[in-house]
Amino acid sequence: MTVVHMIGNAHIDPIWLWPWQAGVDEALGTFRSAADRCDEYPEFIFTRGEAWLYRWVERLDPDLFERVRGLVRRGQWHVTGGQFVQPDSNLPTEAGWRRQIEHGRRYFRERFGVVPRVAYQVDSFGHPATLPDILADEGYVGFVFHRPSPQQQPLPAQTFRWRGPKGGEVVGFRIVPSYTFYEEDLYERIMMAVEASGDLGHTMCFYGVGNHGGGPTKAQIEYILEHRDAWEGIELRFSTPEAFFEAVAGERERLPVVTEELQHTFPGCYSVMHDIKQRQRRTEHLLEASRGAVERLVREPSRARELGGRLEAAWEDLLLTEFHDVLAGTAAPQCWGAVRAMQGRAQIAGEEVVLEATRLWARRQLPPVNAHQLVVVNLDAAPWEGYVEAEPWLDFQPWGDRWLSDPDGRPVDVQRVQPGAPGATRVVFPVELAPTSGLQLLVRDGPAPGKEVRTDLAVAEGYLENAHLRVEVGGSGVVGLSSRGRPLLEGIGLHLRADHTDTWTFHTDRFEEPVEAELGGLRWAIEESGPLRARLRAEGWLGRSRVRWTLSLHRGDPRLHMRLEVLFAERFRALQMPIHLAGAVRRWTDGQAGGAVERTPGPVEWPVQGWSRVELEGAQLALVTQDAYSLSLHGARWQWTLLRSPKMAWMGQDPEVYGGRDDHTDQGEHTFEFCLWVGDALGDEELHVAARQQALPPVVLDRYEGMGRPL
């Protein structure tokens, strides 16, 4: 006997081919329709997740919301998932994933007295290997998904134990054939679900009109009632995902174990709409650091609660913009203005909280000094060591013979560099900071003590060098990198590859069209020559796009910092950065939310989060970035996809009414920060910290008391 758990649902995309306001309207209509079906058919059960939808129904139609609460108590309306929305699985930070769960579950617990234990990601475009660790740690027992399909990634069974790299485990279930259905006759999809279930004795079959809401139709419900025992050995049962997982819990030990990530679905989504992804990830790191700053720097309980409340509201903006059709970059043009506004509102809220927390701490903690001060605060939970830039305001006066010292008068090495605007002064100096701590430096007048600033930097128009690295440049970009005489890279370049795939890249897992243009003809100029930082800069054209490339080495640091600024103006082309390794790759590991995954090299495109590491003979190289999210490693080519330019929300065909107007993705200005790190043993946690701190370097306060300011 196979029990087919019939899951009545209505997939709702709050933002996709319509703006968020239309998502609210579709939620209202769907909730009313589903409540009516529950009243008309006492055996019918409706399954619905996503706290964001419930919250709008509660605000706009309290009577309908009370009907839903009554149906939940009656057992006809099942709350599933526990998330705020169904996010993209690959791109949110670990903090973002945990906030999805925390905010969603809190809402459902407060309004309905339930805490869902089945994660529900039926429409998201692939899932990282680390997700089971996060879900299990949050108390989940089951995970329902549809993508990747069996054609994209075969699995040993429809129902399996999905185990993460850290040992966390949930029972996974892949929906066959889909989570939405518009027809009245359910026979074919029921039989497909039964066939996929093997000999487990239980499966789920999803039905109901979806995408823009809707829900199960009367005809579908009546079909189930009429056919519940129509086929020998099959029972149709109105049910819920949680009831299914409870039914198979006793079979857990005989379920196959899957340890790999669940990809590849629509690899174009890993890179398209770069600015949305970049703002999302950097702001998630900002809000998480802000929370730590409030906890550790703000002493007054009432102020801490007020700041914490502002961060909670900011997170809810970001949790909506984590939605898979937003963060994956596949929404329609009319959606993006509101998305950017929500992300910006969250960013400003985080910046305001950081400002208040650090200034409150400085006023309370720092000794009064009648002098111009630079105060540097590390918001991260790990120590911070490196070089900081600051622009102390000197009232249009030149730096002259000023110098930096600690409060006890010990000199701090300093290098002047180009400021952001004429009339300002910018300096670079080294800093070491404990976790969530600050350092007070003084801007002093008069001749500095006779201390020679040591350096290991050398720079010319063709190379950068320190004691650890030598970087050689030429017309095509970086043409060589070595460490203590050992070649590691043969080059880093940029090229434009033809890309006529749709916005999602539905039908392939790689980018194989020909390269149409390569960056060349660069002339490098020395921008800084030490003693603390040496810098080269080149500007040029690639296709119709303007490129500025900056390379920086710091004293004593085995890391090359690269900054790419691109004014992108391509159509149906992808911007890629191939890194040509000087040796065979022994091992390849990529960062993911809350961990890492080891991968097998090949031409396939993969999502990445924070960093990628390759191991060569005798050395490891890691590229750390918060600004690029898609890569492949094929032979000695470690290639990053940075930008794409299909039409927005384009599935490969034109609309019925088409006047020739097209909106292409990723047009305009984009900035990428990369840190190429060379070492003998670069650990996963070390790289996670580096990526996090790249997103949020120390905060600098330009501070003075009394009359000790510049005059």
Side-chain angles (χ1 to χ4, degrees), residues 294-314:
V294 171
E295 290 178 354
R296 294 184 284 271
L297 299 181
V298 179
R299 294 283 180 84
E300 302 87 345
S302 60
R303 179 64 71 89
R305 285 192 298 271
E306 188 266 335
L307 294 175
R310 284 154 57 185
L311 290 176
E312 292 286 301

Side-chain angles (χ1 to χ4, degrees), residues 406-427:
D406 65 15
D408 296 325
R410 289 183 289 266
V412 174
D413 291 345
V414 65
Q415 176 183 329
R416 293 179 59 200
V417 298
Q418 179 176 323
T425 295
R426 179 174 295 182
V427 293

Side-chain angles (χ1 to χ4, degrees), residues 144-187:
V144 180
F145 69 102
H146 171 55
R147 299 186 178 95
S149 69
Q151 293 73 34
Q152 291 167 327
Q153 182 175 358
L155 293 170
Q158 181 185 45
T159 305
F160 57 93
R161 293 158 61 188
W162 191 24
R163 184 179 297 161
K166 297 178 181 177
E169 190 174 285
V170 292
V171 175
F173 178 89
R174 176 157 62 188
I175 299 170
V176 173
S178 66
Y179 48 86
T180 61
F181 191 64
Y182 296 81
E183 307 301 325
E184 298 178 7
D185 188 343
L186 301 174
Y187 174 79

Side-chain angles (χ1 to χ4, degrees), residues 265-282:
T265 302
F266 315 156
C269 296
Y270 306 157
S271 52
V272 75
M273 292 301 295
H274 169 259
D275 72 303
I276 299 297
K277 294 172 167 61
Q278 182 182 53
R279 175 71 67 86
Q280 184 74 28
R281 288 190 50 77
R282 286 182 172 272

